[in-house]
C-alpha cells in the first residue's frame, strides 16, 4: 500500500488540528490548544480500487508561510492550505503563499480549504459563499461537512 | 516512556541506527523502547515519512519540535548513500511545554484582536449609514421649517394685537430653535463623517467677538440674567482660520451654560496662553452657576445616538469641533455647583496688517416699484411655494405664478413674458439643472435674458458650482427667511426698470 505525505498549513487557529481530528478520529473539541512544532498522524483512505495511507503533518500555524520550518515540508506529496472563513486575514495572502510553496517544495497539489463553514450565514445563495469561491472547498471540522470528501479528493489526485 | 528530568539542562538523547532495509539495527533505548530488527516505520508514522526520504543520498536533516509518543523531540536524521542511516532523538518536552504556554497566550490574543478589528469595521459601516440617514432626514425637515420661519417673521411685520404678537413670537422662537437643532445635527453628521475641511481665511476676531456679545447679551437679558464678556488685551485683533467653526465653538459653550444655568450670571473670557510660530494659543472660558449632568461632556459614538438627548448635542458638537481644530476641551466643576468650560485653541494670526472689506448689511431695501415684477415660481413643494408666494406678494412688488408641471412650465416660458424665475431643485423628478437647460431652449427671446434663481437645500461648494455652471444667477438656501429671499431677488433683478 502506498503512503503519501500531506502537510497542513495555514494561519493559527483556523482549525488545522480540528480538521485532522475530525478526519482521523471523528471527534471535535471547542477548546483551542495551540499546536507547536508538528504532529504526525496517519489514516488509510479506501478508494474504489486502491487503499492509500495518508501521513498527515499538522503544523503550527504561522502568519508568514516562510516561517514554517522548511524541513517539515520536504518530500511532501501535497499541501492542504486551511483558512478560517470568518477571518479574512487568514485567506488574504493565499495566492502569494501558494506560489511560495510551489516554487520551493515541488509542483505538488495544493488544496485550499475554508474551514468553519458552520459559522457562515445559512442559505444556499449566501453572498459570503460567493466571495469565497476562490477556495477549493468549504468544510466544517465542527460539523464534519465535506471533511471526508476533502481527503478522498486529495487521495484520488495523489494516486492518479 | 518519557524520562522527565528534574534538571532541565540534561536533555535525554536516543540514537537509533537503521539498516539498508529500513529496519532498526541498534537503539540505546534511552527514551523509546524500540524492537531490534523491526521496521522503523512501524514505530510511528513520523518514521514512515522520514524513511521515505532515505533516497540513497547522504543528507543531514534537522527536524525540531516533533510531537510523538507523548514527547516532543528535536530530531536529527543522517542518511548514507547505501540507504542506511542514524536517527537521533532529543527529548525536549519540558522546554516545549513552556513554549506552548507562551504561544497559547500570544495566539489567543492575536485572534481576539483580529475579531475585534472586524467587529469595529462593521460598526464603522453602520455608523456611516446612520450619519448619512440623519443628514438626509434633517435636510428633509428643513422645507416645512421654511414655512414656519418665514411666516412668523412675516406675521410679526403685520398688524397684530399684543396677544397675537406673543404667540407668533413664541412660534418663531421655537421654529428658530428647531432650525438650529437641525443645523447642529447636520453639522455633527458632517463632522462625524470626517469630511470637513477647515477654512484658512483672515477674519476680524474682534468683530466676531462683538457680534457674539451683542447676540448673547440680548438673549441672556431676556431671561433676566447678565452676560459678561472679557477679552484680554493681548488677544490678536485678527486671526487666520476657520471663523465659522471658531464661532460655533464659542456659541456652543455659551449655549451650554444657558441650558444648565442655575444662577443669574454667565461669564465668558478670552485670554491668550502664548504665541509661538505664528500661532496664538487662545483660552476660551465660560463660567456659570449650575452643574452639567455627568457624561454629557463625554465623547459619544453615533452607535449611542439613541442615548443622546438634545441637550447633549451641543456638547458633542463642541467636542467634535475642538477635535477638528486640534484643540483641547475640559469641563470643570468648581465650588460644588459652578461649571467652568475651558477650550484651548491654537489659531494662526496674520503677521502683517490687514484690511478687510466692510461688511454688507442684510436688511431689505423698502422699494416701491411702479411696475410689478412678473415672477414664475417652479416648485412642487407646497410649503416652499407658499412661503415664496406670500413673501413676494406681501411687498406689493410682485405678480407671481406657480408651476408644478414641467410641460406647462415650458409652455409658459415659450409664450409669455416674465422678469424672474424661482426654481426648486427638482420638479416632477426632473432635476433643476437638467430643467434649466430645457427652459433655455424653449424660452422666447425676452425670457432667455431673465435671471433664474435656484431654491435648494443642496448648498455644498460642489452643488453651488454646479448650479452656477448650469446658468442659475444665484442660489437661495432653504430654509430662507423673507429677508434672504427678497435680498437675493433684488440683487439679481435690474431694479431700475421697475422703479
Ligand atoms: N465553529 C467552528 N469552530 C472550529 C472549527 N474548526 C475549529 N474550530 C475551533 O477553532 C479553534 C482553533 O482550532 P484548531 O484546530 O486548534 O486550529 P489550528 O491552530 O489551525 O490547529 C478551536 O477553538 C476550535 O474549536 C469549525 O469547523 N467550526
Ligand atoms: Mg493546531
Amino acid at each position: 500500500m502506498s503512503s503519501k505525505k500531506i502537510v497542513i498549513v495555514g494561519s493559527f487557529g483556523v482549525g488545522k488540528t480540528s480538521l485532522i481530528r475530525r478526519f482521523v478520529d471523528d471527534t471535535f473539541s471547542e477548546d483551542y490548544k495551540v499546536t507547536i512544532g508538528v504532529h504526525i498522524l496517519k489514516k488509510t483512505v479506501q478508494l474504489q480500487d486502491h487503499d492509500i495511507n495518508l501521513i498527515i503533518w499538522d503544523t503550527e500555524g504561522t502568519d508568514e508561510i516562510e516561517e514554517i520550518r522548511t524541513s517539515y515540508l520536504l518530500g511532501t506529496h501535497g499541501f492542504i492550505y486551511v483558512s478560517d472563513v470568518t477571518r479574512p486575514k487568514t485567506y488574504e495572502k493565499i495566492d502569494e503563499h501558494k506560489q511560495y510553496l510551489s516554487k520551493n517544495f515541488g509542483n505538488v497539489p495544493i488544496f485550499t480549504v475554508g474551514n468553519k463553514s458552520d459559522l457562515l450565514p445559512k442559505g444556499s445563495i449566501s453572498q459570503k459563499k460567493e466571495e469565497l469561491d476562490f477556495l477549493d472547498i468549504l468544510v466544517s471540522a465542527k460539523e464534519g461537512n465535506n471533511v471526508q470528501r476533502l481527503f478522498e479528493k486529495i487521495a484520488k489526485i495523489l494516486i492518479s | 516512556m518519557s524520562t522527565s528530568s528534574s534538571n532541565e539542562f540534561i536533555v535525554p538523547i536516543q540514537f537509533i541506527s537503521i539498516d539498508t532495509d529500513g529496519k532498526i539495527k541498534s537503539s540505546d533505548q534511552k527514551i523509546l523502547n524500540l524492537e531490534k530488527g523491526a521496521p522503523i516505520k512501524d514505530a510511528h508514522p513520523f518514521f514512515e515519512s522520514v524513511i521515505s526520504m532515505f533516497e540513497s543520498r547522504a543528507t543531514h536533516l534537522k527536524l525540531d519540535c516533533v510531537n510523538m509518543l507523548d514527547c516532543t523531540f528535536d530530531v536529527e536524521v543522517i542518511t548514507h548513500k547505501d540507504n542506511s542511516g542514524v536517527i537521533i532523538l532529543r527529548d525536549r518536552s519540558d522546554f516545549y511545554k513552556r513554549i506552548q504556554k507562551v504561544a497559547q497566550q500570544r495566539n489567543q490574543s492575536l485572534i481576539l484582536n483580529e475579531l475585534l478589528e472586524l467587529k469595529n469595521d462593521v460598526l464603522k459601516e453602520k455608523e456611516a449609514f446612520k450619519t448619512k440617514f440623519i443628514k438626509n432626514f434633517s435636510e428633509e425637515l428643513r422645507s416645512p421649517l421654511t414655512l414656519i420661519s418665514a411666516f412668523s417673521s412675516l406675521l410679526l411685520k403685520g398688524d397684530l394685537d399684543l396677544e397675537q404678537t406673543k404667540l407668533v413670537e413664541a412660534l418663531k422662537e421655537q421654529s428658530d430653535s428647531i432650525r438650529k437643532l437641525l443645523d447642529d445635527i447636520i453639522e455633527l453628521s458632517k463632522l462625524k463623517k470626517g469630511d470637513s475641511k477647515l477654512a484658512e481665511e483672515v477674519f476680524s476676531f474682534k468683530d466676531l467677538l462683538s457680534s457674539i456679545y451683542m447676540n448673547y447679551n440680548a438673549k441672556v437679558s431676556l431671561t433676566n440674567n447678565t452676560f459678561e464678556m472679557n477679552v484680554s488685551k493681548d488677544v490678536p485683533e485678527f486671526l487666520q482660520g476657520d471663523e465659522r467653526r471658531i464661532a460655533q465653538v464659542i456659541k456652543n459653550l455659551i449655549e451650554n451654560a444657558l441650558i444648565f444655568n442655575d444662577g443669574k450670571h454667565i461669564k465668558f473670557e478670552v485670554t491668550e496662553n502664548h504665541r509661538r510660530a505664528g500661532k496664538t494659543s487662545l483660552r476660551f472660558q465660560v463660567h456659570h452657576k449650575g452643574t452639567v449632568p455627568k457624561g454629557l461632556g463625554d465623547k459619544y459614538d453615533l452607535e449611542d445616538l439613541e442615548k443622546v438627548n438634545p441637550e447633549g448635542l451641543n456638547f458633542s458638537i463642541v467636542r467634535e469641533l475642538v477635535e477638528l481644530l486640534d484643540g483641547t476641551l475640559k469641563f470643570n466643576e468648581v465650588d460644588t455647583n459652578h461649571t467652568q468650560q475651558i477650550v484651548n485653541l491654537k489659531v494662526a494670526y496674520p503677521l502683517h496688517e490687514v484690511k478687510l472689506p466692510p461688511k454688507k448689511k442684510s436688511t431689505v431695501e423698502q422699494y416701491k416699484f411702479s411696475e410689478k415684477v412678473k415672477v414664475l415660481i417652479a416648485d412642487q413643494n407646497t410649503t416652499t411655494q407658499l412661503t415664496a408666494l406670500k413673501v413676494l406678494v406681501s411687498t406689493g412688488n410682485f405678480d407671481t405664478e406657480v408651476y408644478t408641471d414641467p410641460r406647462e412650465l415650458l409652455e409658459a416660458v415659450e409664450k409669455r413674458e416674465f422678469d424672474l424665475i424661482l426654481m426648486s431643485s427638482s420638479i416632477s423628478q426632473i432635476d433643476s439643472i437638467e430643467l434649466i437647460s430645457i427652459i433655455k431652449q424653449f424660452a422666447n427671446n425676452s425670457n432667455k435674458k431673465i435671471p433664474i434663481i435656484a431654491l435648494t437645500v443642496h448648498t455644498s461648494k460642489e452643488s453651488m458650482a454646479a448650479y452656477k455652471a448650469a446658468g442659475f444667477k444665484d442660489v437661495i438656501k432653504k430654509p430662507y427667511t423673507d429677508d434672504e429671499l427678497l435680498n437675493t431677488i433684488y440683487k439679481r433683478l435690474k431694479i431700475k426698470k421697475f422703479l
Side-chain angles (χ1 to χ4, degrees):
Chain A
M1 199 184 350
S2 64
S3 294
K4 299 287 177 185
K5 173 178 173 181
I6 293 175
V7 181
I8 319 272
V9 295
S11 187
F12 48 83
V14 295
K16 297 181 292 297
T17 303
S18 304
L19 193 64
I20 297 167
R21 275 231 194 107
R22 170 61 74 200
F23 174 58
V24 175
D25 309 329
D26 203 13
T27 56
F28 176 81
S29 156
E30 291 283 348
D31 296 335
Y32 176 33
K33 178 157 192 263
V34 172
T35 309
I36 57 156
V38 66
H39 288 260
I40 296 103
L41 294 93
K42 178 169 154 182
K43 169 135 177 170
T44 308
V45 181
Q46 290 160 353
L47 298 174
Q48 269 180 348
D49 37 34
H50 252 300
D51 281 0
I52 173 170
N53 279 329
L54 297 183
I55 299 174
I56 305 166
W57 288 50
D58 175 19
T59 61
E60 162 180 338
T62 50
D63 291 329
E64 290 305 328
I65 199 95
E66 292 90 340
E67 286 169 18
I68 306 182
R69 295 179 176 92
T70 51
S71 56
Y72 291 172
L73 307 182
L74 297 174
T76 301
H77 300 102
F79 289 104
I80 299 179
Y81 189 110
V82 185
S83 65
D84 177 341
V85 292
T86 66
R87 287 165 55 206
K89 270 204 168 152
T90 66
Y91 52 76
E92 271 163 4
K93 291 194 187 154
I94 221 162
D95 283 334
E96 203 183 302
H97 289 176
K98 268 170 86 172
Q99 270 181 20
Y100 170 83
L101 291 176
S102 308
K103 206 174 132 199
N104 293 285
F105 302 97
N107 206 3
V108 298
I110 304 171
F111 263 75
T112 55
V113 175
N115 186 34
K116 310 198 188 177
S117 66
D118 55 288
L119 298 177
L120 287 177
K122 298 282 178 265
S124 53
I125 347 169
S126 136
Q127 193 197 340
K128 187 84 186 174
K129 275 186 196 160
E130 264 173 48
E131 278 173 36
L132 294 169
D133 67 359
F134 59 90
L135 295 170
D136 292 324
I137 193 169
L138 296 185
V139 303
S140 166
K142 182 170 175 179
E143 292 176 355
N145 303 340
N146 272 346
V147 175
Q148 202 63 35
R149 256 188 64 194
L150 165 69
F151 285 96
E152 275 168 17
K153 271 186 161 191
I154 291 169
K156 267 186 204 157
I157 286 180
L158 290 184
I159 55 164
S160 64
Chain B
M1 271 193 277
S2 155
T3 52
S4 254
S5 164
S6 56
N7 185 343
E8 54 186 275
F9 295 108
I10 297 172
V11 177
I13 300 189
Q14 178 164 1
F15 289 86
I16 308 157
S17 68
I18 312 289
D19 68 16
T20 50
D21 298 326
K23 295 199 170 107
I24 299 166
K25 199 160 92 189
S26 70
S27 161
D28 58 14
Q29 315 288 50
K30 286 259 170 62
I31 311 164
L32 302 178
N33 206 351
L34 300 172
E35 195 188 325
K36 245 192 219 170
I40 181 75
K41 74 182 177 74
D42 291 348
H44 191 274
F46 168 71
F47 296 116
E48 189 172 346
S49 271
V50 163
I51 214 77
S52 70
M53 285 191 266
F54 282 43
E55 287 168 328
S56 309
R57 279 189 298 142
T59 53
H60 187 167
L61 191 65
K62 282 186 183 157
L63 290 137
D64 285 345
C65 196
V66 176
N67 298 278
M68 60 175 159
L69 305 165
D70 295 329
C71 300
T72 310
F73 300 102
D74 283 348
V75 184
E76 276 178 70
V77 181
I78 300 158
T79 63
H80 305 305
K81 280 205 173 121
D82 66 355
N83 245 6
S84 67
V86 178
I87 297 175
I88 305 165
L89 303 178
R90 284 188 176 77
D91 181 0
R92 307 200 62 200
S93 304
D94 291 340
F95 171 73
Y96 283 121
K97 252 182 216 136
R98 265 177 284 142
I99 298 279
Q100 201 280 338
K101 264 192 200 135
V102 178
Q104 182 83 32
Q105 279 176 4
R106 171 187 165 271
N107 291 7
Q108 272 172 348
S109 87
L110 281 175
I111 292 173
L112 190 69
N113 275 341
E114 241 176 72
L115 294 177
L116 283 178
E117 232 170 69
L118 276 180
K119 209 171 149 198
N120 202 18
D121 284 350
V122 175
L123 286 182
K124 270 193 199 144
E125 249 168 59
K126 273 194 193 159
E127 225 180 79
F129 173 77
K130 266 189 190 167
T131 310
K132 191 152 182 264
F133 172 78
I134 291 163
K135 189 162 167 278
N136 293 347
F137 179 72
S138 312
E139 279 173 355
E140 280 300 307
L141 278 178
R142 271 180 162 175
S143 280
L145 270 179
T146 314
L147 178 84
I148 304 171
S149 252
F151 274 23
S152 321
S153 53
L154 203 61
L155 272 173
L156 285 170
K157 284 183 182 158
D159 286 331
L160 298 178
D161 64 31
L162 191 62
E163 188 67 13
Q164 288 169 328
T165 307
K166 274 192 180 159
L167 288 175
V168 178
E169 267 173 5
L171 189 66
K172 181 161 167 39
E173 197 187 302
Q174 288 304 308
S175 71
D176 283 349
S177 75
I178 300 176
R179 246 173 90 154
K180 162 128 189 6
L181 194 66
L182 274 186
D183 286 342
D184 283 355
I185 290 174
I186 293 170
E187 179 75 32
L188 187 60
S189 69
K190 277 190 202 148
L191 289 169
K192 276 284 174 196
K193 259 171 72 187
D195 55 6
S196 337
K197 285 197 190 73
L198 290 172
E200 280 293 340
E201 253 131 58
V202 174
F203 64 95
S204 164
F205 189 43
K206 199 173 145 195
D207 284 357
L208 173 66
L209 289 174
S210 70
S211 92
I212 287 174
Y213 179 73
M214 289 205 315
N215 191 357
Y216 284 101
N217 194 30
K219 190 164 178 179
V220 171
S221 62
L222 279 179
T223 54
N224 279 332
N225 291 312
T226 48
F227 180 65
E228 180 189 345
M229 180 167 98
N230 296 322
V231 180
S232 82
K233 275 197 216 80
D234 40 9
V235 170
E237 187 177 339
F238 293 96
L239 294 177
Q240 183 168 7
D242 200 317
E243 178 177 15
R244 190 175 65 88
R245 257 61 176 261
I246 293 170
Q248 253 179 328
V249 170
I250 299 173
K251 285 177 187 169
N252 277 312
L253 291 179
I254 301 172
E255 297 280 345
N256 289 345
L258 277 169
I259 294 169
F260 298 101
N261 189 21
D262 233 4
K264 294 258 162 250
H265 190 66
I266 291 171
K267 192 162 101 183
F268 170 49
E269 283 180 315
V270 188
T271 50
E272 184 178 52
N273 296 322
H274 54 77
R275 280 186 203 196
R276 244 169 249 151
K279 285 197 169 186
T280 165
S281 162
L282 296 174
R283 181 187 178 86
F284 302 94
Q285 215 181 106
V286 175
H287 189 92
H288 76 277
K289 189 171 172 204
T291 49
V292 172
K294 280 245 151 29
L296 261 196
D298 293 353
K299 188 177 170 64
Y300 86 101
D301 289 324
L302 271 195
E303 193 45 19
D304 306 322
L305 195 72
E306 297 79 8
K307 295 179 209 147
V308 177
N309 52 9
E311 279 126 35
L313 208 55
N314 263 332
F315 287 91
S316 303
I317 290 171
V318 173
R319 192 168 287 278
E320 297 285 340
L321 281 170
V322 169
E323 222 165 80
L324 182 72
L325 295 167
D326 202 17
T328 63
L329 168 74
K330 244 193 337 208
F331 296 105
N332 291 336
E333 205 182 302
V334 279
D335 310 336
T336 66
N337 63 349
H338 286 77
T339 302
Q340 203 179 26
Q341 308 175 70
I342 303 172
V343 166
N344 288 300
L345 294 182
K346 282 198 192 99
V347 194
Y349 57 90
L351 297 166
H352 307 288
E353 205 182 318
V354 253
K355 284 204 181 72
L356 294 174
K359 287 234 166 93
K360 291 166 254 152
K361 278 196 186 152
S362 66
T363 45
V364 187
E365 290 282 349
Q366 299 296 314
Y367 293 115
K368 259 291 146 268
F369 292 167
S370 54
E371 194 187 321
K372 287 201 177 177
V373 179
K374 291 189 285 299
V375 185
L376 188 163
I377 301 178
D379 195 338
Q380 229 181 351
N381 184 323
T382 43
T383 309
T384 42
Q385 242 178 51
L386 267 176
T387 324
L389 207 62
K390 297 253 166 157
V391 173
L392 297 184
V393 169
S394 73
T395 63
N397 284 336
F398 299 88
D399 267 341
T400 52
E401 276 180 46
V402 177
Y403 288 86
T404 54
D405 181 334
R407 267 172 308 163
E408 288 172 19
L409 171 76
L410 293 173
E411 206 176 308
V413 292
E414 192 181 4
K415 302 208 171 117
R416 315 253 314 280
E417 282 189 13
F418 296 95
D419 301 305
L420 173 75
I421 298 177
L422 294 179
M423 193 153 83
S424 77
S425 44
S426 78
I427 295 129
S428 286
Q429 310 296 321
I430 304 183
D431 187 79
S432 60
I433 292 191
E434 210 169 304
L435 197 53
I436 192 172
S437 74
I438 309 175
I439 287 178
K440 295 226 155 161
Q441 288 167 32
F442 274 76
N444 54 42
N445 283 342
S446 101
N447 282 345
K448 277 205 166 85
K449 291 172 203 144
I450 62 172
I452 305 179
I453 297 175
L455 305 172
T456 180
V457 290
H458 309 291
T459 51
S460 69
K461 257 194 190 151
E462 296 81 37
S463 324
M464 295 287 265
Y467 281 119
K468 295 266 162 80
F472 285 97
K473 265 270 142 26
D474 211 330
V475 178
I476 298 173
K477 180 182 173 189
K478 286 184 189 175
Y480 47 79
T481 63
D482 49 352
D483 285 6
E484 283 159 5
L485 179 65
L486 287 172
N487 273 324
T488 313
I489 290 177
Y490 289 150
K491 191 166 104 194
R492 296 302 170 193
L493 274 180
K494 295 203 174 64
I495 290 197
K496 276 187 200 142
K497 191 180 148 193
F498 305 98
L499 289 171

